[in-house]
Amino acid sequence: MGHSAAVWDYRAATEITKDWNGIDQVLLRTPRGSSARVSLHGAQVTSWRNEHGEELLFTSSKFGNCGSLEQHGFARNRMWAIDENPPPLPGNDSSGKSFIDLVLKSSEEDMKCWPHSFEFRLRVTLAADGDLTLISRVRNINGKPFSFSFAYHTYLLVSDISEIRIEGLETLDYLDNLFKKERFTEQGDAITFESEVDRVYLSSPNIIAVLDHEKKRTFVIRKEGLPDVAVWNPWEKKSKSMVDFGDEEYKQMLCVDGAVIEKPVSLKPGEEWTGRLQLSVVPSSFCSDRLGLDRSGL
């Protein structure tokens, strides 16, 4: 009976529908009203709403994501499958949570882009309190080693980019993509925005906070296996040159992205890599000390 109840709870909180392109998508819900929507195209989380129904992720009105799909890696341009029988996740408790497991296995088409055999699994979990967790696993089923870089491309919806600050990345070295990936050291006590930013912060702590002054709320990003953090906002001039991005939309978006960029992951045959990203939203009255923003990470 207990097993049947668990299966019923999972199915009751998970619904498969189609988007306006006819592509399957999975809707996750919690009893309190939080929700997340995951498209099987690219395994992208296209919506994450709190218990009040407020959207927390940014999606361009002109296109479903920002930038060329191939630019972000071919996995985002493939149809994923629902994984009905995924291998167990060590130390991961999904009881009382709504979740979906997706899988992408290398195809002949993929081999043309990237000539390695792999299995790429993603579990998207929505907890009762509305926290959104992404757990990615990449396994080498190739006969030889391969290496790869990785990023989640997390686009947060913010009230006004000029009122946003990021805490947790101060004093770190970063690669600046606006200066041919030259290496600099962050000098500010927090990161704020007044022009285009396209950086990769290196060897970052496992907890980062994005404070939205106007909405009086803070995104808390917790991560494992993702040593780098990409921070991007295209600002006004770049936005106008992007066909899949509205001219003024830069004001309401910020990409803060757990990633592996500086030192790619290397996997021998049979090895598996795991990366984990957890997104929470808390009132900004939570101070940095309570969030544990220090160099020790989690």
Side-chain angles (χ1 to χ4, degrees), residues 83-240:
D83 196 353
E84 300 287 1
N85 190 26
L89 269 168
N92 186 64
D93 180 15
S94 293
S95 60
K97 300 174 183 176
S98 177
F99 66 93
I100 190 71
D101 287 292
L102 302 177
V103 62
L104 178 69
K105 297 183 180 181
S106 48
S107 65
E108 288 185 20
E109 187 71 20
D110 296 329
M111 298 289 276
K112 296 175 185 175
C113 307
W114 199 61
H116 304 287
S117 297
F118 65 90
E119 291 179 350
F120 187 171
R121 286 184 162 81
L122 173 68
R123 174 171 290 188
V124 182
T125 301
L126 189 65
D129 60 6
D131 286 4
L132 181 70
T133 301
L134 308 175
I135 302 175
S136 293
R137 292 185 283 174
V138 177
R139 178 174 289 277
N140 182 351
I141 57 172
N142 213 33
K144 57 185 179 181
F146 63 65
S147 59
F148 63 93
S149 55
F150 182 92
Y152 272 116
H153 304 288
T154 309
Y155 299 103
L156 304 176
L157 183 64
V158 299
S159 55
D160 181 350
I161 187 62
S162 62
E163 298 286 326
I164 301 298
R165 56 189 282 134
I166 303 176
E167 295 184 0
L169 301 177
E170 51 277 5
T171 76
L172 296 185
D173 284 0
Y174 64 87
L175 306 178
D176 197 325
N177 291 322
L178 302 180
F179 292 91
K180 298 181 180 178
K181 299 184 179 178
E182 189 174 341
R183 193 177 185 116
F184 296 92
T185 300
E186 180 59 52
Q187 302 294 332
D189 59 355
I191 298 169
T192 55
F193 299 87
E194 52 189 29
S195 60
E196 181 182 358
V197 172
D198 190 353
R199 301 172 182 170
V200 177
Y201 286 83
L202 309 174
S203 302
S204 60
N206 283 336
I207 303 181
I208 295 147
V210 179
L211 288 75
D212 190 328
H213 177 72
E214 190 172 311
K215 288 190 180 294
K216 296 182 172 58
R217 71 183 180 199
T218 296
F219 290 96
V220 182
I221 301 170
R222 294 177 172 89
K223 58 189 181 67
E224 297 172 21
L226 302 161
D228 305 323
V229 171
V231 177
W232 178 66
N233 181 284
W235 216 255
E236 188 173 11
K237 185 178 178 182
K238 176 69 69 66
S239 295
K240 290 179 177 177

Side-chain angles (χ1 to χ4, degrees), residues 262-273:
E262 185 190 25
K263 298 173 183 174
V265 177
S266 294
L267 292 179
K268 296 173 183 174
E271 286 187 334
E272 184 175 85
W273 167 84

Side-chain angles (χ1 to χ4, degrees), residues 11-135:
R11 288 179 176 170
T14 307
E15 179 185 353
I16 300 174
T17 62
K18 291 189 182 295
D19 67 13
W20 57 278
N21 280 323
I23 296 171
D24 283 350
Q25 58 182 3
V26 179
L27 179 64
L28 306 177
R29 291 189 297 260
T30 70
R32 296 182 189 173
S34 301
S35 66
R37 195 168 61 238
V38 188
S39 174
L40 267 60
H41 184 262
Q44 296 177 72
V45 180
T46 57
S47 174
W48 173 38
R49 294 178 181 268
N50 64 17
E51 59 191 39
H52 306 297
E54 298 169 326
E55 182 59 62
L56 301 169
L57 297 181
F58 169 84
T59 303
S60 173
S61 61
K62 291 195 169 187
F63 197 55
N65 57 69
C66 308
S68 155
L69 285 165
E70 295 299 339
Q71 169 190 330
H72 291 306
F74 67 81
R76 278 171 59 105
N77 203 19
R78 298 290 183 265
M79 291 301 299
W80 290 53
I82 294 174
D83 196 353
E84 300 287 1
N85 190 26
L89 269 168
N92 186 64
D93 180 15
S94 293
S95 60
K97 300 174 183 176
S98 177
F99 66 93
I100 190 71
D101 287 292
L102 302 177
V103 62
L104 178 69
K105 297 183 180 181
S106 48
S107 65
E108 288 185 20
E109 187 71 20
D110 296 329
M111 298 289 276
K112 296 175 185 175
C113 307
W114 199 61
H116 304 287
S117 297
F118 65 90
E119 291 179 350
F120 187 171
R121 286 184 162 81
L122 173 68
R123 174 171 290 188
V124 182
T125 301
L126 189 65
D129 60 6
D131 286 4
L132 181 70
T133 301
L134 308 175
I135 302 175

